Amino acid sequence: MFSLYRQKGTAHLVISGPYEFLADDPFVYGHRASGSAKNSMPDKAAALVALASHNLLRVDVGWLSSKAAKWLRDASGSLPNGYLEVSQKPVTRILDSKAGAIGVVLFPEGKIPGQGPSQEQIREVLTAAEAIRGKVRLLVGVSPWGYVAERNFISKDARGVFGCIMGGGEGVGFSHSLQENPGVLWLRPDTQGRTVNVLEILELPALGESPRWKENTTFRASLEFLDGSFPSDPQMRNIIGNP
């Protein structure tokens, strides 16, 4: 979730990252599963629960794999609100907010889900980003590439283009990092939906300018663990039942 602040108001944007759905689990239904399970899908009832629960989250823009999109469409004929199917090409959106326009580039999936892209895909991501960079106050990349590929991209290619990368795929989670590139704020969630990255932006750059990240001055970031200290939502409990 992004909480974007300026003097005259606060805007909240919810961005959902890669592999949020049961169909994307590589150990049960994907490339790491054994035998026929590699090509199987969860049942229709699970898809209907997923659709209803993600609609309740009010996602502004979400990354959705082609596999999960097919599963949801076959079961319900629709996709969750705000989610966009991403395959081998990047997808861009500009989100309007009280704090200004925020650009989002959903990165394409690599050859192996959760792992790195081809060089051609990297070039396509940068081209897509440049097409909208001058129209937004902040450009956010949403990646399914995994820790190693994201680290390499941020260190080498993202400078001067992206202000923030929300990671996904294989690798560890953390609240934020600026070590790889001081101009690119890097966030990664923990596995199995256990956490939410919360980024509060205190100061946005002007159109086309790169952000100057300084913790507690221009931003605050945290990795929130969804443990027993968080009260359950009655509407969500009605959909998914008791955990």
Side-chain angles (χ1 to χ4, degrees):
M1 181 181 72
F2 286 83
S3 177
L4 308 177
Y5 171 81
R6 66 176 183 175
Q7 187 176 3
K8 294 183 179 180
T10 300
H12 297 274
L13 297 177
V14 177
I15 299 177
S16 181
Y19 307 127
E20 292 285 347
F21 295 87
L22 188 59
D24 293 315
D25 189 331
F27 296 97
V28 181
Y29 302 104
H31 64 281
R32 291 190 169 182
S34 59
S36 61
K38 289 184 178 181
N39 299 314
S40 64
M41 290 280 199
D43 61 26
K44 179 178 179 179
L48 296 175
V49 169
L51 179 67
S53 59
H54 280 265
N55 279 339
L56 189 60
L57 296 176
R58 298 178 179 86
V59 169
D60 291 286
V61 63
W63 190 105
L64 185 64
S65 71
S66 291
K67 183 177 182 180
K70 182 180 187 305
W71 173 56
L72 292 164
R73 283 197 187 99
D74 288 348
S76 68
S78 62
L79 301 179
N81 296 332
Y83 280 85
L84 301 170
E85 182 179 351
V86 186
S87 182
Q88 297 301 304
K89 301 288 183 180
V91 177
T92 62
R93 284 293 183 273
I94 294 178
L95 304 177
D96 293 323
S97 79
K98 293 179 182 179
I102 307 298
V104 179
V105 181
L106 305 177
F107 291 7
E109 192 169 48
K111 185 176 180 180
I112 299 176
Q115 297 185 20
S118 67
Q119 288 301 310
E120 178 62 23
Q121 287 178 316
I122 290 176
R123 288 191 290 269
E124 290 172 344
V125 162
L126 294 173
T127 298
E130 289 289 359
I132 64 171
R133 187 166 70 93
K135 304 175 184 179
V136 300
R137 301 281 298 275
L138 178 68
L139 189 57
V140 178
V142 180
S143 162
W145 293 347
Y147 176 91
V148 173
E150 289 166 8
R151 180 193 61 196
N152 294 340
F153 177 78
I154 291 168
S155 300
K156 179 181 177 183
D157 300 298
R159 185 181 302 275
V161 181
F162 288 96
C164 177
I165 299 294
M166 297 182 65
E170 297 181 358
V172 298
F174 43 80
S175 65
H176 68 282
S177 175
L178 290 168
Q179 293 183 359
E180 295 71 23
N181 187 330
V184 182
L185 190 61
W186 184 20
L187 322 173
R188 282 187 59 85
D190 198 12
T191 186
Q192 299 295 319
R194 291 183 295 195
T195 64
V196 173
N197 284 93
V198 179
L199 174 61
E200 184 180 2
I201 299 178
L202 308 176
E203 181 180 315
L204 278 170
L207 286 175
E209 291 187 0
S210 298
R212 297 182 179 180
W213 297 120
K214 185 176 180 182
E215 191 170 7
N216 296 320
T217 300
T218 61
F219 81 96
R220 287 191 287 264
S222 62
L223 189 64
E224 298 288 348
F225 283 82
L226 303 179
D227 55 23
S229 65
F230 282 81
S232 62
D233 184 299
Q235 289 180 280
M236 186 65 77
R237 186 181 289 276
N238 286 338
I239 295 169
I240 66 173
N242 291 321

